[in-house]
Amino acid sequence: MTISLDVAFIIKAIIILLIFAITLLIATYSTYAERKVAAFMQDRIGPNRAGPLGLLQPIADAVKMFFKEDFIPAQSSKWLFILGPCLSMLTALMTSAVIPFGDSIQYSSAPGKVWDVAVQAIDVNIGVLYVFGLVSLGVYGVMVGGWASNNKFSLLGAIRAASQNISYEISMGLAIIAILMMTGSLSIRHIVEQQHGGNWNIFYQPIGFIIFITCAFAECNRTPFDLPECETELIGGYHTEYSSMKLGFYLFAEYINMFVSSAMISSLYFGGYNYPGMDWVQAQLTGAMGEIAGHNVATLIGTIVFFGKSLFFVFFYMWVRWTLPRFRYDQLMNLGWKGLIPLAMINIILTGGAILFLKPLVMSFLK
Amino acid sequence: MQLTNRSKQVSNKQMTFAERIYLPAIATGLGITIKHFFQKKVTLQYPDVKINLGPVFRGRHVLKRDDQGRERCTACGLCAVACPAEAISMVAAERQKGEETLYREEKYAAVYEINMLRCIFCGLCEEACPKQAIYLRHDEFVPVFTERDQVIWGKDLLAENMNNRYLRKAWTKEEAREQDIKGVEAQPRTQL
Ligand code: SF4
Ligand code: SF4
């Protein structure tokens, strides 16, 4: 164990760095994609001047952000004002730690000894709770920033963000409970592993999925639930007073959240790195390239599949944003408390009933 | 009174279940946006692609010459009087012997200036001119200027270039349609 611990450590470190870099890269290019998608849906072309197809646009935006004046209002609480965006960014980045991006990488230190390193920063057995904890911490970034700005609009935005997140976290949690009942584990890796092949949770939990994705929209403050920042009423909401890279952090955190929640959706409901026919692919690869190399290539394919699913949901976020108008505040609260929470509870009861009665029935049929 | 046929009777009837859960409506909306996603884009990439704005568009001015290349303007000042923005100023001079190939009339504008920041492109100068000397081009704008001394256009910029004369094929929309003068003139850059 001690001999190869450092190899495992290096592989892990590389994986963590890669996850970090890829998360940032995806968030960066989400800003570009958002503008392109918006443009395409409105029959426009979108940014196309910076680099081929406008691909350097995010870099140009970042440079612009850095060169803007970093303004701190005189009446604000200075330290909290700085803390706000930092918190948002921190919590957004930390969530990606427990997401299983792929199966595992194998290597052998000595003949006959095979080590298995999961493509995941840490596999904690309370992964789902961890994500939930961080997501609810994330709203502190918004609240602290909005409060510290000492501006009515910011404060209103922050209050809205807080109440919205609290309301939707409940139904989100209830939606997940149904999944936990099915899998019996809080580890995201376990949940993903149980959806082997095409056996995805979406087929068992369609209602849960709809609840979850609606809440994910609300948690990420995305349209149609972008009330904390809605420009028409609150100027910029909680980030009205922010400029330069602090504003950049807030906006960036939103895109990271978007990606992470897309990754969560695909691992909880769409099988993560599982895809139909993966066993066959793995068998072919191990047959052709040997046990370890085949496994690693199969893992790579799984990871690509995972990113494909996640990016589709990122696209879905944008797609919805440019389709739906913003909800009114009372509509938002109505939907959350009177619509989604009862629905989530019914879903739990249905799932429980199915596990209790339907499963033995189906099992006995199969025997 | 009915202005269009598009008015709809408002109804306050109870929404059906499908309408209340809102999801079918969202799905329809998503369908519409994704259809537009793949549709042809309407954007014209302006500096790269320029369209014909029609024969009656009023762009930058040109001081016309006649067929022999002589300036038509006789510095009567009617355009300056007609100009509501007081953008035109000129200095008249008498044609000397030997200058008959340069100026058509005995009096000509030695200096003719238009302040492009004052001009509102109303075209009244064009209408006032008795010598048909000044026109607003239908095919060219005043380019963007970044320096103060680019604002006032003198005769060097205004006078017509005999190698590249300004000719207007059509004077009205109908004529343009008859001659089938098409909209887009330049080709787009290959970039998207
Ligand atoms: S177009 Fe109108 S404003 Fe411009 S110079 Fe002629 S008369 Fe004056
Ligand atoms: S452009 Fe026409 S109206 Fe103006 S001074 Fe010359 S001749 Fe007269």
Side-chain angles (χ1 to χ4, degrees):
Chain A
M1 187 75 188
T2 41
I3 324 157
S4 46
L5 192 66
D6 26 68
V7 187
F9 178 77
I10 290 169
I11 292 186
K12 205 81 194 186
I14 291 173
I15 289 174
I16 290 175
L17 274 181
L18 265 183
I19 289 174
F20 181 63
I22 289 175
T23 313
L24 284 184
L25 187 79
I26 288 180
T28 314
Y29 272 89
S30 297
T31 60
Y32 166 78
E34 174 103 82
R35 295 171 65 180
K36 271 289 195 208
V37 168
F40 271 53
M41 290 191 171
Q42 295 164 356
D43 293 341
R44 294 184 286 116
I45 294 173
N48 69 345
R49 296 285 137 164
L53 296 170
L55 275 174
L56 299 180
Q57 190 66 43
I59 296 160
D61 287 343
V63 170
K64 183 205 79 172
M65 281 281 188
F66 270 113
F67 277 99
K68 289 240 171 155
E69 187 194 353
D70 196 358
F71 185 75
I72 299 182
Q75 299 300 314
S76 64
S77 356
K78 194 154 172 261
W79 288 109
L80 290 183
F81 192 80
I82 297 171
L83 188 68
C86 301
L87 260 181
S88 275
M89 194 70 173
L90 183 75
T91 49
L93 278 173
M94 274 168 74
T95 28
S96 57
V98 292
I99 289 170
F101 286 87
D103 192 0
S104 61
I105 291 175
Q106 287 181 345
Y107 68 96
S108 74
S109 51
K113 258 187 169 178
V114 174
W115 300 98
D116 219 49
V117 183
V119 186
Q120 183 177 11
I122 31 166
D123 179 20
V124 283
N125 54 4
I126 49 148
V128 176
L129 287 187
Y130 172 85
V131 171
F132 265 71
L134 279 179
V135 166
S136 30
L137 270 184
V139 76
Y140 281 98
V142 173
M143 273 180 70
V144 166
W147 186 80
S149 303
N150 200 5
N151 171 321
K152 293 184 186 68
F153 292 115
S154 305
L155 186 62
L156 278 174
I159 293 171
R160 281 184 177 188
S163 55
Q164 169 178 330
N165 276 34
I166 290 169
S167 317
Y168 278 78
E169 227 150 72
I170 300 171
S171 26
M172 195 181 208
L174 291 177
I176 293 213
I177 283 180
I179 292 233
L180 301 184
M181 282 159 66
M182 284 172 55
T183 52
S185 167
L186 276 169
S187 151
I188 301 181
R189 175 161 289 272
H190 276 167
I191 296 175
V192 171
E193 272 165 5
Q194 292 199 355
Q195 307 177 52
H196 194 80
N199 189 25
W200 298 348
N201 278 338
I202 174 78
F203 303 122
Y204 306 103
Q205 290 289 339
I207 302 176
F209 167 67
I210 289 171
I211 298 169
F212 187 85
I213 199 166
T214 316
C215 297
F217 273 91
E219 296 279 314
C220 293
N221 299 332
R222 292 283 299 180
T223 333
F225 306 118
D226 62 341
L227 288 135
E229 48 185 297
C230 67
E231 292 86 351
T232 37
E233 300 163 29
L234 297 183
I235 309 175
Y238 59 91
H239 57 57
T240 305
E241 296 285 357
Y242 280 89
S243 59
S244 185
M245 216 45 207
K246 292 209 200 69
L247 174 67
F249 264 34
Y250 268 133
L251 304 182
F252 212 62
E254 180 185 325
Y255 283 98
I256 296 174
N257 276 333
M258 233 166 90
F259 171 65
V260 170
S261 61
S262 302
M264 280 293 283
I265 293 170
S266 45
S267 20
L268 289 179
Y269 289 95
F270 284 84
Y273 50 80
N274 295 302
Y275 53 96
M278 59 188 293
D279 286 329
W280 181 82
V281 170
Q282 174 131 5
Q284 294 293 314
L285 284 171
T286 44
M289 302 161 79
E291 196 66 43
I292 290 175
H295 178 84
N296 288 346
V297 174
T299 302
L300 185 69
I301 295 175
T303 309
I304 292 169
V305 169
F306 178 79
F307 275 107
K309 288 176 189 170
S310 305
L311 291 183
F312 170 77
F313 281 105
V314 172
F315 171 76
F316 187 72
Y317 267 100
M318 296 169 184
W319 186 4
V320 169
R321 171 164 181 185
W322 300 106
T323 303
L324 295 182
R326 184 183 296 128
F327 272 54
R328 218 169 51 209
Y329 196 68
D330 62 320
Q331 291 172 332
L332 174 94
M333 284 297 158
N334 263 339
L335 178 69
W337 289 96
K338 293 190 195 157
L340 292 181
I341 291 179
L343 192 66
M345 287 183 175
I346 294 172
N347 189 37
I348 291 176
I349 295 170
L350 286 182
T351 313
I355 292 173
L356 204 57
F357 303 116
L358 223 55
K359 212 171 161 192
L361 213 68
V362 175
M363 284 300 170
S364 62
F365 257 121
L366 289 181
K367 271 181 197 156
Chain B
M1 190 180 71
Q2 197 171 19
L3 294 174
T4 64
N5 294 323
R6 287 179 297 183
S7 56
K8 266 190 190 162
Q9 191 67 41
V10 177
S11 114
N12 283 332
K13 74 169 162 48
Q14 280 259 289
M15 285 195 283
T16 63
F17 179 69
E19 279 167 346
R20 253 184 299 137
I21 59 171
Y22 196 35
L23 289 175
I26 292 179
T28 322
L30 289 175
I32 291 171
T33 40
I34 202 71
K35 202 176 78 209
H36 280 270
F37 191 86
F38 294 109
Q39 258 171 17
K40 198 173 165 292
K41 309 300 167 216
V42 294
T43 308
L44 286 169
Q45 308 205 35
Y46 166 62
D48 308 329
V49 185
K50 289 183 179 142
I51 61 162
N52 188 336
L53 292 162
V56 290
F57 181 77
R58 299 194 290 266
R60 55 154 281 210
H61 307 68
V62 60
L63 268 181
K64 285 288 286 180
R65 298 175 191 273
D66 66 3
D67 289 343
Q68 291 143 42
R70 302 179 296 185
E71 281 176 20
R72 303 180 73 113
C73 174
T74 184
C76 65
L78 283 177
C79 51
V81 172
C83 178
E86 300 186 356
I88 303 179
S89 62
M90 70 195 71
V91 174
E94 207 171 328
R95 185 177 70 187
Q96 304 298 316
K97 270 235 156 12
E99 287 183 337
E100 285 85 355
T101 53
L102 296 177
Y103 312 109
R104 200 171 73 160
E105 313 290 343
E106 286 160 12
K107 181 176 153 222
Y108 71 95
V111 177
Y112 189 101
E113 286 179 340
I114 299 182
N115 184 337
M116 290 302 180
L117 273 184
R118 299 197 68 137
C119 175
I120 54 172
F121 302 95
C122 61
L124 287 182
C125 47
E126 176 179 321
E127 273 182 44
C129 181
K131 296 290 178 189
Q132 287 160 4
I134 188 140
Y135 283 98
L136 269 65
R137 298 186 68 136
H138 75 292
D139 54 350
E140 270 183 34
F141 299 148
V142 176
V144 175
F145 29 70
T146 50
E147 302 291 334
R148 281 159 198 248
D149 52 15
Q150 294 169 345
V151 169
I152 294 174
W153 283 33
K155 261 168 75 174
D156 50 333
L157 290 170
L158 291 169
E160 189 182 22
N161 177 2
M162 282 309 280
N163 299 322
N164 183 17
R165 297 199 69 180
Y166 171 60
L167 300 167
R168 213 187 285 190
K169 289 198 211 86
W171 289 88
T172 59
K173 238 179 6 200
E174 290 72 25
E175 279 175 32
R177 210 171 295 137
E178 271 164 31
Q179 295 174 31
D180 197 25
I181 295 172
K182 60 180 187 324
V184 178
E185 282 178 345
Q187 283 305 304
R189 278 207 308 202
T190 42
Q191 276 190 13
L192 228 156

